[in-house]
Amino acid sequence: MAYLYLTVAIIAEVIATSALKASAEFTRLYPTLLVVVGYGLAFYFLTLALRTIPIGITYAIWSGFGIVLITIAGTFLYREIPDVPAMIGMGLIIAGVLVIHIFSKTISH
């Protein structure tokens, strides 16, 4: 269940962060509400994941997948296309998360 909670937390954070730009510095009501609700859900589900997964591992997965998913959202929503070095860097982030998940003894599989 911990990884399900973490997945929900990541998705909620990506939605909230995407809405953050659309909120136009909190001047647009609906995107602003989406930011508040999204971050609230994200942090709630993150706390549930932390019951089982160590905080360092949780944060590595959270931030790694968050960076990649936000970049994908930015590409589609705001036409912010990453260049090749950015894509290589994100590939390395994903590789790092995979190494932690597959080889680390600090998490239960």
Side-chain angles (χ1 to χ4, degrees), residues 38-91:
Y39 281 128
L41 287 172
F43 285 112
Y44 173 73
F45 280 98
L46 186 64
T47 63
L48 296 179
L50 288 172
R51 290 178 179 168
T52 307
I53 309 169
I55 193 166
I57 303 302
T58 301
Y59 195 73
I61 295 168
W62 160 286
S63 60
F65 281 109
I67 290 167
V68 173
L69 292 174
I70 285 297
T71 302
I72 292 168
T75 298
F76 289 104
L77 296 174
Y78 303 111
R79 293 184 175 81
E80 297 173 344
I81 311 298
D83 59 8
V84 173
M87 293 182 356
I88 291 170
M90 284 182 278

Side-chain angles (χ1 to χ4, degrees), residues 2-11 45-46 49 53 58 61-62:
Y3 284 99
L4 176 63
Y5 294 145
L6 183 55
T7 300
V8 172
I10 292 168
I11 292 168
F45 280 98
L46 186 64
I53 309 169
T58 301
I61 295 168
W62 160 286

Side-chain angles (χ1 to χ4, degrees), residues 57 59-65 91-103 107:
I57 303 302
Y59 195 73
I61 295 168
W62 160 286
S63 60
F65 281 109
L92 292 171
I93 291 168
I94 292 171
V97 170
L98 289 173
V99 166
I100 290 169
H101 185 70
I102 293 169
F103 298 108
I107 61 173

